[in-house]
Amino acid sequence: MHGVLKVKKVIVEVQKVIVEVQKVIVEVQKVIVRVQKVIVEVQKVIVRVQKVIVEVQKVIVEVQKVIVEVQKVIVRVQKLIVELLSESQQPPGVINPSLIA
């Protein structure tokens, strides 16, 4: 009889442990769901950041084009300065042919 009571007590304790383990499992599942939601949000942010990177790259390309155009203008201005300086060294009344074109 005494052995039967011990077995019943052990069974009750095992059932209590099982209930506690099930509670932990449920909590872990809740955490997993939260982590999955965070992962989805992080993926959305990554997509947004990638779009911004693409836009920034487009702007960089446009700025590079502007830089090239500005460099061309600088070269033209330098040529004009050289022509004006060479014209100022010619005798009066003589027109520099490069300025006519």
Side-chain angles (χ1 to χ4, degrees):
M1 185 76 169
H2 185 349
V4 172
L5 284 177
K6 268 191 163 182
V7 167
K8 285 185 178 181
K9 275 187 173 181
V10 167
I11 287 173
V12 166
E13 288 305 312
V14 167
Q15 287 173 331
K16 285 180 180 177
V17 168
I18 287 172
V19 166
E20 288 305 309
V21 166
Q22 288 172 331
K23 286 179 181 177
V24 168
I25 286 171
V26 165
E27 288 306 308
V28 166
Q29 288 171 331
K30 287 178 181 177
V31 168
I32 286 172
V33 166
R34 282 190 226 126
V35 166
Q36 287 171 332
K37 286 179 179 177
V38 167
I39 286 172
V40 165
E41 289 306 308
V42 165
Q43 288 171 333
K44 287 177 181 177
V45 167
I46 286 172
V47 166
R48 284 190 217 123
V49 165
Q50 287 172 332
K51 287 178 179 177
V52 166
I53 286 172
V54 165
E55 290 307 309
V56 165
Q57 287 172 333
K58 288 177 181 177
V59 167
I60 286 172
V61 165
E62 289 306 309
V63 166
Q64 288 172 331
K65 288 177 181 177
V66 168
I67 287 172
V68 165
E69 290 306 310
V70 166
Q71 288 172 331
K72 288 178 181 177
V73 168
I74 288 172
V75 166
R76 285 189 202 124
V77 167
Q78 287 173 332
K79 284 181 180 178
L80 281 175
I81 289 172
V82 166
E83 288 174 2
L84 287 172
L85 287 175
S86 69
E87 179 185 281
S88 69
Q89 293 176 1
Q90 291 187 8
V94 177
I95 297 174
N96 186 343
S98 65
L99 293 177
I100 296 173

